[in-house]
Amino acid sequence: MNTASRLPKKSRPGSAPVSGPAPRRRLRVVLAALVLVAAVVVAAVALGGGGKSADRPAAASASDAPSAAPPADPALLALARRDADDPYAVGKPDAPVVMIEYSDFQCPYCSRFARETKPELLRDYVDKGVLRIEWRHFPIFGEESEQAARASWAAGRQGRFWQFHDTAYGQPRERNKGDFAEKELLAMAEEAGVGDLDRFRTDMASAAADEAVNRDVEEGYALGVSSTPAFLVNGRPILGAQPTDVFAEAVEAAQAAEGARAQGGTDE
């Protein structure tokens, strides 16, 4: 089973945080190389998994996956914002590992990650100060995806982004069938504890919401992100709703590499 939703080819307005054609090309080359290595590792493990379900690829071992990837490019590491006041992030700003997530609220694999994997990462790594998760709005399925992204941004303006996130992903929803129409988004916001729904409605329709969403979209496009969900764990990619073990191993490998670097070692 494909665990990622394909991104249609289109251009998006907005200012990119990675500016200029040369840096964009370099980041695309770096990400493409890392994605290729990650894909080979996952495919090799899945093919040799001996009875593993075809729609849940086997996790690479902790010794295989981290060593297969080259050191993360500093430009990728620099994408972590580490803003203590960021309502779209959870975890300590100085956590040794930052996972950036590019997601769409209409993506079923993003929903799977939100329901099955994120709670374990929160418990095992975020709550212990090891991991920080930074959300990036990456709507790829059209108008309702874009509305949902703006709505989640508006919820974040009142400190309720993650509650909105959990509400939106809390049950299966049909794509582009009205489940993310304005009325439904208002109901989600109310369920998520957004206190001022009039402000929520105004924020959702604002130019600031468009700018915030477009900023994240352009960041993803600058990297060459082509599917959701897509993740960077201290600059190294994980594509799709992989088993929780894949994320756990990536976090632990990144933590170990950061510890070695801090002690004067390397992350090779």
Side-chain angles (χ1 to χ4, degrees):
M1 175 184 291
N2 177 22
T3 56
S5 301
R6 300 304 302 171
L7 178 66
K9 294 181 179 179
K10 62 177 183 177
S11 61
R12 292 294 303 266
S15 59
V18 182
S19 61
R24 289 191 185 198
R25 282 196 298 270
R26 182 166 67 89
L27 283 174
R28 286 195 185 103
V29 169
V30 170
L31 187 64
L34 293 174
V35 167
L36 178 60
V37 170
V40 169
V41 170
V42 171
V45 174
L47 288 173
K52 295 288 185 181
S53 172
D55 63 349
R56 262 179 89 80
S61 70
S63 61
D64 288 341
S67 62
D73 187 277
L76 296 178
L77 291 172
L79 291 173
R81 295 170 186 171
R82 293 187 179 273
D83 180 357
D85 298 322
D86 185 354
Y88 314 101
V90 59
K92 295 170 57 177
D94 60 350
V97 184
V98 176
M99 182 173 77
I100 300 173
E101 174 185 357
Y102 299 87
S103 283
D104 181 320
F105 283 104
Q106 290 200 105
C107 164
Y109 303 113
C110 303
S111 181
R112 177 191 293 181
F113 172 81
R115 292 194 309 270
E116 298 179 5
T117 298
K118 185 173 75 72
E120 295 191 44
L121 296 179
L122 292 174
R123 182 192 66 226
D124 294 341
Y125 301 105
V126 174
D127 291 347
K128 295 177 181 178
V130 173
L131 175 66
R132 175 177 174 85
I133 300 174
E134 296 187 355
W135 172 273
R136 301 291 191 265
H137 307 281
F138 205 68
I140 63 174
F141 291 116
E143 184 178 351
E144 288 194 39
S145 291
E146 293 170 4
Q147 288 177 168
R150 291 192 297 269
S152 71
W153 180 85
R157 296 278 287 174
Q158 298 187 47
R160 307 299 289 180
F161 169 78
W162 290 105
Q163 292 82 357
F164 182 93
H165 167 284
D166 292 348
T167 298
Y169 282 136
Q171 64 186 62
R173 302 183 191 275
E174 291 191 71
R175 188 183 301 166
N176 293 321
K177 295 293 181 64
D179 283 356
F180 289 94
E182 182 176 346
K183 178 181 177 181
E184 302 303 323
L185 292 169
L186 286 167
M188 291 179 206
E190 185 173 19
E191 182 179 342
V194 174
D196 188 339
L197 293 179
D198 288 336
R199 178 189 171 190
F200 171 82
R201 186 185 292 106
T202 298
D203 285 342
M204 182 171 59
S206 68
D210 284 337
E211 290 170 5
V213 172
N214 284 336
R215 176 193 179 194
D216 289 354
V217 168
E218 288 298 330
E219 180 179 289
Y221 272 102
L223 290 169
V225 172
S226 61
S227 61
T228 57
F231 307 86
L232 291 174
V233 179
N234 273 17
R236 295 190 176 95
I238 297 177
L239 305 179
Q242 300 294 336
T244 301
D245 285 350
V246 171
F247 291 93
E249 289 160 5
V251 170
E252 290 173 13
Q255 181 187 17
E258 181 60 20
R261 186 201 63 77
Q263 295 174 15
T266 68
D267 60 353
E268 296 179 350

